[in-house]
Amino acid sequence: MITIHKPKLRKRGGEIIVTVDFDMGGETKNLWYSFPNKYEKFLIVEQLDAFIIGLLFLGLKTGNDIKLNAPLSARLYYSLNHYLIDALCLVNSNYKRIKVIPSKLSSLNLNIGKTSGTGLSCGIDSFATYFDHKDEKSPYLIDYFTFFNVGSHGDKGGSKAREIFHKRIKNVSEFAEKVGREVITVDSNLSEILQMKFQETYNLRTISCALLMQKLFKNYYYSSGTRFDHFSFNNEEIADLDMLIIPNLSTESTSFFVSALKYSRIGRTELITEFPETYAHLDVCTHPFEGRDFINCSECYKCQRTMLTLELLGKLEFYSEIFDLEKFRKNKKKYMGWLLSKKKKLTLDRELIELIKERNEIDSKVYFYMIKHILYRHKLKLKKIFSN
Ligand SMILES: [Zn+2]
């Protein structure tokens, strides 16, 4: 059994920290989230919604039921019991079906801010969410960006992830300033506590932070890399399940949406190129920015995929400030060969290959690299067989 105690507020310098103690296996641990002081009045300490969602994976992984010593949103409790826990157990057979035992349910609407927010990484998906909502009226217009340290800067947290988080804030803040929005930064030790792969757990980590701000956000948009027709129960691409999971995390105070579901990755890329505000800030790189000339390394698979898409759309030159175009041109055919040779093609890969074929971009050099990659893989396989 995991027992989560009542949330408390604590001040530290310019920060306000929401924290809970929880007991598990005879040990008491502490989970915390820190916010800039000015958001104190919007933080929820009346209910344990954020903490049950943050720690749910810990319960599912270890098979411990979760008991709450403070109220829980009645709507969230209903969703947990009827949809969320079953869906997560269905997609991952290692999870155990657990019980959530609240001390009391609450049907109060605590929202006072009547605003909308979304996470901003300055990647394709978060930009697409922002620009897709630019003509909305309150409370659907995006007033705030959020930037969380709950795993996207390093699965298991720690000082390295925290350092990357602080470095990435700079680009995010500069973009936010350009479009006249505030960024709410939230640090947390959730990653250190979960010790799980970010790729398998990112959706609940993100929403747990947003649930602490239910008083501020009437609506919160979650950018997922997926389109309506990608929906599936697939353990290897759990993003394809987001359109079921995310809305079911809504409470009486805040509604959660998976945004930009109508666009494919190519469609999103095309959408954001219409906005010059993105030209100096697009950040898709898997490698943290460290004293490079360009925000994006221009070598990792995400950089190469984005650069190739932009080039095929005729928009790559707009992004010459943030990508090393020379490096891209040098490696382009090699990358295309690798992409075509991939054995397990993700949805995003298939979409890009379709665009490459449409534009007749495959020549003998691309085929050469494709065959080279396939042969190399066979060589590795043979080596493995003979070494056994
Ligand atoms: Zn990169």
Side-chain angles (χ1 to χ4, degrees):
M1 174 91 76
I2 298 172
T3 305
I4 311 178
H5 299 289
K6 278 188 183 140
K8 283 179 246 166
L9 281 179
R10 188 157 46 88
K11 281 205 173 150
R12 185 178 65 193
E15 294 174 326
I16 180 94
I17 298 167
V18 197
T19 167
V20 290
D21 288 333
F22 66 95
D23 309 325
M24 185 178 148
E27 244 186 289
T28 300
K29 291 186 177 171
N30 180 263
L31 170 62
W32 58 263
Y33 299 80
S34 77
F35 297 77
N37 258 337
K38 63 194 248 200
Y39 299 106
E40 181 174 350
K41 68 172 181 206
F42 294 116
L43 298 181
I44 292 245
V45 279
E46 298 88 334
Q47 295 175 194
L48 275 172
D49 309 345
F51 296 95
I52 173 71
I53 295 308
L55 294 173
L56 189 65
F57 280 120
L58 198 60
L60 293 171
K61 186 173 79 166
T62 59
N64 277 296
D65 291 340
I66 305 180
K67 184 171 173 270
L68 308 176
N69 283 348
L72 174 67
S73 148
R75 181 174 172 171
L76 187 58
Y77 178 63
Y78 166 75
S79 300
L80 276 163
N81 278 336
H82 286 269
Y83 310 101
L84 288 165
I85 293 175
D86 288 294
L88 292 167
C89 288
L90 189 58
V91 77
N92 188 332
S93 56
N94 294 323
Y95 291 155
K96 310 201 179 51
R97 212 200 169 287
I98 57 164
K99 274 199 207 101
V100 174
I101 309 153
S103 68
K104 201 179 152 203
L105 295 177
S106 161
S107 295
L108 292 175
N109 177 358
L110 300 165
N111 185 267
I112 48 172
K114 299 188 176 66
T115 68
S116 285
T118 193
L120 182 72
S121 65
C122 288
I124 301 275
D125 297 324
S126 63
F127 273 160
T129 293
Y130 175 69
F131 288 108
D132 190 46
H133 288 81
K134 70 176 188 12
D135 298 325
E136 292 300 332
K137 303 267 178 295
S138 178
Y140 296 98
L141 182 71
I142 295 170
D143 299 297
Y144 291 91
F145 291 127
T146 60
F147 192 68
F148 302 146
N149 181 29
V150 285
S152 59
H153 317 290
D155 297 40
K156 294 179 182 168
S159 55
K160 184 83 192 151
R162 196 150 286 120
E163 200 182 301
I164 297 169
F165 164 69
H166 287 297
K167 275 185 187 148
R168 283 180 175 159
I169 289 173
K170 189 176 171 273
N171 184 44
V172 165
S173 305
E174 282 171 8
F175 173 80
E177 208 183 314
K178 247 180 220 176
V179 297
R181 299 288 187 275
E182 269 183 50
V183 187
I184 306 173
T185 54
V186 183
D187 195 358
S188 170
N189 68 337
L190 181 60
S191 303
E192 284 94 328
I193 283 176
L194 288 181
Q195 292 292 311
M196 291 172 82
K197 276 192 197 153
F198 183 64
Q199 282 308 332
E200 288 172 8
T201 54
Y202 59 88
N203 42 19
L204 298 197
R205 294 184 189 216
T206 304
I207 300 299
S208 82
C209 287
L211 278 168
L212 287 167
M213 291 178 279
Q214 292 180 59
K215 290 185 185 169
L216 179 61
F217 298 135
K218 185 79 210 117
N219 299 297
Y220 189 87
Y221 307 114
Y222 179 89
S223 301
S224 180
T226 183
R227 193 173 66 178
F228 289 120
D229 53 329
H230 299 164
F231 180 82
S232 81
F233 273 83
N234 175 355
N235 198 12
E236 278 165 22
E237 282 189 81
I238 68 153
D240 293 348
L241 197 60
D242 281 342
M243 60 192 100
L244 168 74
I245 301 292
I246 302 297
N248 272 310
L249 294 161
S250 300
T251 65
E252 290 76 0
S253 311
T254 304
S255 296
F256 291 100
F257 297 89
V258 181
S259 49
L261 278 173
K262 61 188 166 197
Y263 298 107
S264 67
R265 180 69 174 206
I266 310 266
R268 287 162 201 225
T269 311
E270 199 160 22
L271 170 74
I272 72 155
T273 62
E274 289 167 29
F275 301 96
E277 300 93 313
T278 64
Y279 298 166
H281 297 288
L282 180 65
D283 178 359
V284 298
C285 192
T286 56
H287 297 147
F289 176 66
E290 251 166 311
R292 287 193 299 260
D293 292 339
F294 302 91
I295 295 177
N296 297 278
C297 80
S298 313
E299 279 174 322
C300 70
Y301 76 97
K302 275 196 175 174
C303 280
Q304 300 213 64
R305 182 174 70 201
T306 310
M307 288 185 294
L308 181 60
T309 310
L310 286 167
E311 197 198 40
L312 294 171
L313 296 171
K315 305 286 173 69
L316 183 58
E317 298 296 330
F318 294 157
Y319 295 89
S320 59
E321 206 181 309
I322 51 141
F323 284 121
D324 186 340
L325 302 195
E326 218 171 285
K327 207 181 250 178
F328 165 69
R329 295 208 168 101
K330 208 176 103 213
N331 297 327
K332 177 181 154 188
K333 302 220 161 160
K334 211 187 263 180
Y335 169 72
M336 283 166 74
W338 172 79
L339 183 69
L340 291 173
S341 80
K342 268 181 91 172
K343 223 170 148 190
K344 260 193 204 159
K345 292 186 179 76
L346 302 173
T347 315
L348 301 186
D349 297 330
R350 286 196 295 270
E351 217 187 300
L352 181 53
I353 290 170
E354 218 170 280
L355 185 66
I356 295 171
K357 285 184 179 161
E358 243 173 58
R359 305 283 156 105
N360 277 327
E361 286 277 334
I362 306 177
D363 59 17
S364 54
K365 216 163 178 191
V366 174
Y367 277 124
F368 167 76
Y369 282 117
M370 181 182 93
I371 293 164
K372 206 174 150 190
H373 280 295
I374 294 172
L375 289 175
Y376 179 67
R377 222 174 289 132
H378 280 291
K379 202 175 124 193
L380 285 183
K381 228 196 244 163
L382 285 173
K383 237 185 182 170
K384 220 173 158 188
I385 293 170
F386 286 112
S387 67
N388 280 337

